[in-house]
């Protein structure tokens, strides 16, 4: 278990959740506006955000509701759009202590978003789940409030604020991947190759038509798969 | 057949939850296979890098402010590393660029 008790980790989670909350607020506000556009009410949109906690996944959900999709179509689309969370959960399952009470394996899945996953993986050693729960409470509060306000108030947030807030989530991603790149050249190379490939995917014909969710899955499988082959991590590192 | 908004939401929320939960049930022990362990160790770096670039430069309504956010984000992450500072610096970069341009 990582040093520190549950309560300090929970508090740290609440603090680290603040920038996530801000970024989520801006994104979910836009989501709320979209939901309102297809006739969803604030309760429906709020429940959706609280229950799903997924950006692209919820945009897809709105489209499905708008098109009165059937059950099979809803389930398959949800699986495809949210498949990257499957990979993230696989990865995070290896950060858990073997002694961790079993119920955490039912609570942690709810918390797996791009940002919360990123921060939870960045912890040294085993993950204390209360860190993740702290971040999740703050983030989901922002995510849900943003969605509800988006539905209720529509387009009242000024452009400059939406613009500025919209990059905060990416800033957090950089704060997660750049410091380890400084210490480990292989990680640095991995980050560079990943960014370059992602850039190519958005420029090249055919490849640029692949949806964002699929791009993440394809590139993660290819690049992380190749990296694991070229440079297998030693035991001590993989456990951390 | 479409079951209506609330049942639809329930079905989709449960689907998304199951996608996230299954790996936690399947991988209850530490994986011993070196390749798989290494792969899962590298997943966060690749995933987050792919999601950040080029999305960060197209996130705002002006590509120049997006590029400013990227540069400021890289520099603050490299020299400071604190999550909150990096996130706020990126926001500030976009805001300031918006004022200048």
């Amino acid at each position: 278990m990582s040093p520190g008790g549950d309560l300090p980790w929970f508090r740290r989670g609440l603090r680290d959740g603040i920038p996530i909350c801000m970024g989520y607020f801006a994104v979910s506000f836009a989501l709320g506006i979209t939901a309102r556009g297809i006739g969803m009410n604030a309760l429906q949109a709020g429940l959706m955000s609280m229950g799903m906690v997924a950006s692209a996944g919820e945009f897809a959900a709105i489209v499905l509701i708008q098109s009165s999709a059937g059950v099979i179509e809803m389930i398959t689309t949800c699986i495809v759009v949210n498949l990257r969370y499957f990979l993230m959960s696989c990865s995070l399952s290896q950060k858990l202590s073997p002694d961790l009470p079993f119920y955490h394996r039912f609570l942690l899945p709810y918390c797996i978003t791009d940002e919360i996953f990123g921060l939870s993986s960045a912890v040294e050693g085993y993950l204390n789940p209360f860190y993740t729960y702290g971040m999740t409470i703050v983030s989901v509060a922002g995510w849900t409030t943003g969605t509800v306000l988006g539905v209720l108030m529509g387009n009242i947030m000024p452009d400059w604020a939406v613009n500025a807030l919209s990059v905060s989530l990416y800033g957090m991603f950089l704060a997660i991947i750049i410091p380890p790149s400084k210490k480990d050249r292989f990680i640095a190379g991995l980050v560079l190759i990943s960014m370059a490939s992602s850039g190519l995917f958005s420029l090249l014909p055919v490849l640029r038509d692949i949806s964002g969710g699929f791009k993440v899955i394809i590139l993660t499988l290819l690049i992380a798969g190749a990296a694991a082959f070229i440079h297998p991590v030693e035991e001590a590192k993989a456990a951390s | 057949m479409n079951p209506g908004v609330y049942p639809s939401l329930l079905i989709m929320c449960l689907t998304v939850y199951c996608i996230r939960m299954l790996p936690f049930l399947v991988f209850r022990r530490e994986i011993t296979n070196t390749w798989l362990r290494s792969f899962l160790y590298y997943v966060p770096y690749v995933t987050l890098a792919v999601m950040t670039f080029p999305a960060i430069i197209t996130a705002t309504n002006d590509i120049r402010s997006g590029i400013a956010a990227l540069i400021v984000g890289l520099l603050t992450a490299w020299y400071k590393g604190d999550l909150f500072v990096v996130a706020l610096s990126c926001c500030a970069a976009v805001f300031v660029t918006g004022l200048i341009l």
Side-chain angles (χ1 to χ4, degrees), chain A residues 89 105-106 126 182 198, chain B residues 17 20 24 30 40 53 78:
Chain A
S89 289
R105 292 179 181 268
F106 292 100
Y126 289 126
K182 213 170 141 179
S198 175
Chain B
Y17 176 75
R20 289 164 164 155
F24 282 102
E30 285 193 22
L40 294 176
F53 187 83
W78 185 271

Side-chain angles (χ1 to χ4, degrees), chain A residues 66-135:
Chain A
Q66 181 185 26
S67 61
S68 301
V71 175
I72 305 289
E73 190 187 352
M74 282 193 283
I75 294 176
T76 37
T77 309
C78 277
I79 292 175
V80 170
V81 175
N82 296 293
L83 206 57
R84 69 178 186 285
Y85 296 132
F86 185 86
L87 281 180
M88 293 180 189
S89 289
C90 289
S91 180
L92 205 63
S93 74
Q94 297 302 301
K95 290 280 290 179
L96 303 183
S97 158
D99 312 324
L100 195 70
F102 198 70
Y103 70 90
H104 289 295
R105 292 179 181 268
F106 292 100
L107 294 179
L108 278 171
Y110 175 76
C111 312
I112 305 296
T113 67
D114 303 339
E115 297 73 20
I116 298 171
F117 161 73
L119 281 181
S120 301
S121 327
V123 168
E124 291 271 332
Y126 289 126
L127 169 71
N128 184 318
F130 288 94
Y131 176 55
T132 307
Y133 301 150
M135 286 191 282

Side-chain angles (χ1 to χ4, degrees), chain A residues 93 102 105-106 109, chain B residues 20-29:
Chain A
S93 74
F102 198 70
R105 292 179 181 268
F106 292 100
Chain B
R20 289 164 164 155
M21 183 198 53
L22 278 174
F24 282 102
L25 291 191
V26 173
F27 297 121
R28 265 178 284 182
R29 285 151 210 251

